Amino acid sequence: MTKKFYITTPIYYVNSVPHIGHAYTTIAQDVLARYKRQKGFDVRFLTGTDEHGANIEKSAAAAGVTPKQWTDDVAAKYKELWKTLNISYDDFIRTTDAKHEHVVQAIFEKLLKSGDIYLGSYSGKYCLSCEQYYNDSEILEGGLCPVHKRPLSEVHEETYFFKLSRYEKPLLKYYEEHPEFLSPKIRASEIVNFVKSGLQDLSVTRTKVAWGIPVPSNPQHTIYVWFDALINYISAAGLGTLLCEDKAEHEAQLKQIKADKFEDLWPADLHMVGKEIFRFHTVIWPAVLMALGLPLPKKVFAHGWWTVEGEKMSKSLGNIIDPAKVAAQYGVDPLRAFLFREVPFGQDGDFSMESFKNRYNSDLANNIGNLLSRTLNMAAKNMGELPETIEGDYKLLAKSADVEGAIDKAYDELAFDKVLENIYGFASDLNKLVDEKKPWELTKTDPEAAKAVLLELAACLRKVAVWLEPFMPTVAKEMQKRLLPGKIEKYPPLFPRLEADKK
Ligand code: MSP
């Protein structure tokens, strides 16, 4: 039986349009999905949109449309971008899907019965952008939100609480027994300390937000967006077939994602998130799952944030990078590769078109592209065609097995930067071999030796073309095509060099 591998991205808010930050997380999971498929895993890759809450209600009102029209429109924009960026997701969930809403409601009522959710009231400082209350120790001077640096709203309301406090010890025990769960390791202590400092019960409904899922037994209340959103990971995996009365549509959903039952997919192997929502995924989410008696995801990985030329991306600064625009100008694949070569995965990074162009020229045009052209040109002259396999004692071809081992190890650590470093490093070794052996001269003095060099280069390049596929699916396929056994054709450069901007 093939091994399943269930991975997710955050579901993105639809109050504004997607940018390079959202693309980053999604491409990361796409790279991983493609790599795991290469290795024979039965991958289920879930993404989607988070469509309820006051912010979305407001965005729709400002645009003069209904929340439904607004969310349909932005969800479609996300899908369009994922198509442009060649994202091979298997399922796209929207929190306004009926099949999701049913599961959220069923979970709510189940936890109400078990005593994990109870009715109370709440007064506190609330940030509308974070959709979250803050306690005094977290609030900045002047009553500002620690994330948005904007004034918080004083809110008093009747609300249902989730008994998060009940899960302090079980969570700490889980972290200790599953050191992989909080990844990367450098982010673990913050979460452990947060939980150790004591957990307060979490308000999980609002009476003032109309655009949300109603509590079935008390419909004046709508369910808190985060409680609603986190559940997407199990509603998309078919939990409805276990919980909901109307099973038909949940079964249809399972067929769509090619599973017979919920247990085929759950628990997830990896939730990939940005660092700012790590806590939601590693404290609230596992506690909800514990309350439901469900297994916990194997790993939550928090990556860093992109700034743009040193600044936070924001509408007001007008510096939001639209990945579709960069891709239209320079190609989807170079963008996909750049994001992971530029910054060690897990750390923050800074995006600039200048470093994009520099890396494009050095990694792609001068290294990979040049290697492919010179190899094929020389081989065309020397042999005319490429064989299926080569035999003999070839040093770099032997080394490729070590490189592949290093690549696999880097993927295990989600060190996408190291994967690319290994691939590009190996291509540099191949370029060095060409410079040293000078096959174009060798061909005059020792044609057999020249041929051996060219055969080794072609065989190694075939490996490179397979390794590159998760990052650059289209370009890698083109490389593979050019390196097929048989007559060598003439081709244009794979990565035409970019000229420096004229000052
Ligand atoms: N809807 C919630 C997530 C719910 S998951 C159950 C949300 N949505 S969001 O639209 O704000 O998306 C946040 C995610 O987008 C981050 O966690 C990260 O994955 C990605 N990024 C958004 N801006 C980013 C950067 N500037 N840099 C890197 N990634 C960032 O939070």
Side-chain angles (χ1 to χ4, degrees):
M1 220 184 75
T2 49
K3 214 170 158 317
K4 72 94 203 180
F5 192 69
Y6 179 35
I7 59 175
T8 68
T9 71
I11 48 171
Y12 302 105
Y13 287 133
V14 291
N15 51 336
S16 61
V17 289
H19 60 56
I20 197 85
H22 310 113
Y24 185 50
T25 320
T26 310
I27 300 172
Q29 286 298 56
D30 190 59
V31 168
L32 190 64
R34 288 173 186 273
Y35 166 73
K36 286 285 180 179
R37 287 190 199 112
Q38 275 186 338
K39 295 279 165 186
F41 282 79
D42 184 7
V43 174
R44 306 298 158 79
F45 171 12
L46 173 72
T47 188
T49 40
D50 189 354
E51 304 191 357
H52 293 121
N55 278 322
I56 287 147
E57 210 170 21
K58 265 196 271 164
S59 301
V65 295
T66 64
K68 169 84 181 117
Q69 285 166 325
W70 175 267
T71 52
D72 283 352
D73 186 47
V74 183
K77 289 207 170 87
Y78 268 98
K79 285 190 176 169
E80 201 181 294
L81 178 64
W82 300 154
K83 200 165 166 205
T84 304
L85 298 179
N86 211 350
I87 303 299
S88 61
Y89 62 82
D90 298 291
D91 193 15
F92 189 103
I93 187 156
R94 301 177 55 182
T95 53
T96 51
D97 290 341
K99 59 186 180 252
H100 170 76
E101 294 189 342
H102 291 168
V103 174
V104 173
Q105 291 184 320
I107 286 179
F108 197 94
E109 293 296 327
K110 192 176 153 102
L111 296 184
L112 200 56
K113 270 202 202 97
S114 69
D116 274 291
I117 288 181
Y118 63 92
L119 187 62
S121 72
Y122 197 89
S123 303
K125 298 262 180 0
Y126 192 76
C127 172
L128 277 174
S129 299
C130 299
E131 301 274 13
Q132 186 185 344
Y133 283 105
Y134 282 102
N135 57 36
D136 289 342
S137 66
E138 294 168 303
I139 296 173
L140 300 183
E141 238 184 75
L144 303 182
C145 162
V147 177
H148 295 89
K149 325 262 183 307
R150 281 201 294 261
L152 298 166
S153 315
E154 181 71 46
V155 175
H156 179 85
E157 57 182 337
E158 180 189 82
T159 183
Y160 286 90
F161 285 95
F162 171 65
K163 268 201 186 153
L164 189 59
S165 56
R166 194 183 252 182
Y167 294 95
E168 217 170 283
K169 287 212 174 71
L171 283 170
L172 289 170
K173 183 162 177 275
Y174 189 80
Y175 302 150
E176 201 170 317
E177 288 170 0
H178 302 84
E180 288 270 285
F181 180 71
L182 300 172
S183 287
K185 271 201 181 64
I186 44 153
R187 300 211 189 264
S189 58
E190 190 205 317
I191 299 297
V192 172
N193 292 339
F194 174 75
V195 175
K196 275 191 182 152
S197 73
L199 293 176
Q200 290 174 9
D201 290 348
L202 176 76
S203 159
V204 286
T205 63
R206 303 282 176 265
T207 48
K208 297 183 178 72
V209 180
W211 182 241
I213 304 176
V215 171
S217 55
N218 189 355
Q220 283 152 299
H221 287 258
T222 54
I223 295 168
Y224 173 49
V225 273
W226 270 100
F227 192 82
D228 164 359
L230 288 163
I231 288 171
N232 90 85
Y233 302 129
I234 47 180
S235 66
L239 186 69
T241 51
L242 300 181
L243 283 188
C244 297
E245 277 165 25
D246 176 6
K247 301 206 181 332
E249 64 184 27
H250 297 285
E251 266 156 26
Q253 162 83 2
L254 280 175
K255 273 208 196 94
Q256 185 193 325
I257 51 177
K258 299 181 237 99
D260 292 329
K261 45 187 192 312
F262 174 69
E263 296 88 318
D264 289 348
L265 290 181
W266 193 256
D269 292 271
L270 171 68
H271 293 315
M272 180 72 77
V273 298
K275 62 181 183 179
E276 86 292 1
I277 60 172
F278 193 48
R279 203 194 272 182
F280 290 97
H281 283 80
T282 54
V283 180
I284 300 174
W285 179 226
V288 170
L289 289 166
M290 283 174 177
L292 289 168
L294 291 174
L296 268 46
K298 293 186 191 144
K299 184 185 285 197
V300 182
F301 187 99
H303 65 65
W305 263 48
W306 285 94
T307 49
V308 174
E309 306 196 357
E311 303 268 11
K312 194 171 177 235
M313 257 183 286
S314 80
K315 263 196 211 143
S316 50
L317 285 174
N319 63 349
I320 291 182
I321 299 279
D322 176 358
K325 269 202 191 137
V326 182
Q329 197 170 357
Y330 301 102
V332 173
D333 285 1
L335 173 66
R336 291 174 54 115
F338 169 77
L339 291 174
F340 299 98
R341 180 64 191 92
E342 179 71 355
V343 176
F345 198 63
Q347 293 176 25
D348 292 339
D350 189 52
F351 189 95
S352 79
M353 282 318 293
E354 196 187 332
S355 53
F356 173 83
K357 288 180 196 167
N358 286 342
R359 283 219 181 263
Y360 176 101
N361 280 337
S362 61
D363 295 339
L364 303 183
N366 297 352
N367 190 5
I368 306 272
N370 182 38
L371 176 67
L372 182 72
S373 319
R374 64 207 298 217
T375 301
L376 287 178
N377 290 341
M378 290 185 290
K381 276 193 206 135
N382 183 291
M383 309 178 269
E385 59 179 46
L386 291 176
E388 197 147 334
T389 49
I390 66 166
E391 272 157 37
D393 193 11
Y394 294 98
K395 232 169 79 199
L396 279 173
L397 193 54
K399 188 184 167 187
S400 73
D402 300 338
V403 177
E404 192 156 313
I407 289 174
D408 289 338
K409 188 168 168 285
Y411 272 116
D412 282 346
E413 294 163 1
L414 298 173
F416 297 116
D417 50 302
K418 288 205 188 113
V419 173
L420 285 175
E421 207 176 282
N422 274 290
I423 302 174
Y424 296 161
F426 187 65
S428 297
D429 290 347
L430 294 172
N431 268 317
K432 265 184 228 137
L433 180 77
V434 179
D435 297 341
E436 274 163 31
K437 300 270 177 175
K438 302 190 174 50
W440 60 94
E441 285 177 8
L442 204 54
T443 202
K444 294 174 210 149
T445 51
D446 187 350
E448 276 312 300
K451 185 175 169 192
V453 175
L454 294 169
L455 285 175
E456 178 170 25
L457 288 169
C460 289
L461 263 167
R462 283 180 183 155
K463 304 246 176 219
V464 170
V466 172
W467 297 337
L468 281 176
E469 210 176 307
F471 294 90
M472 300 201 277
T474 312
V475 169
K477 278 267 179 285
E478 174 65 21
M479 274 180 87
Q480 289 164 25
K481 192 187 98 193
R482 294 184 187 188
L483 289 159
L484 283 175
K487 188 172 173 317
I488 302 167
E489 310 283 340
K490 267 209 143 335
Y491 295 103
L494 203 55
F495 302 105
R497 263 190 75 85
L498 300 176
E499 296 308 324
D501 284 336
K502 298 211 170 60
K503 291 262 157 79

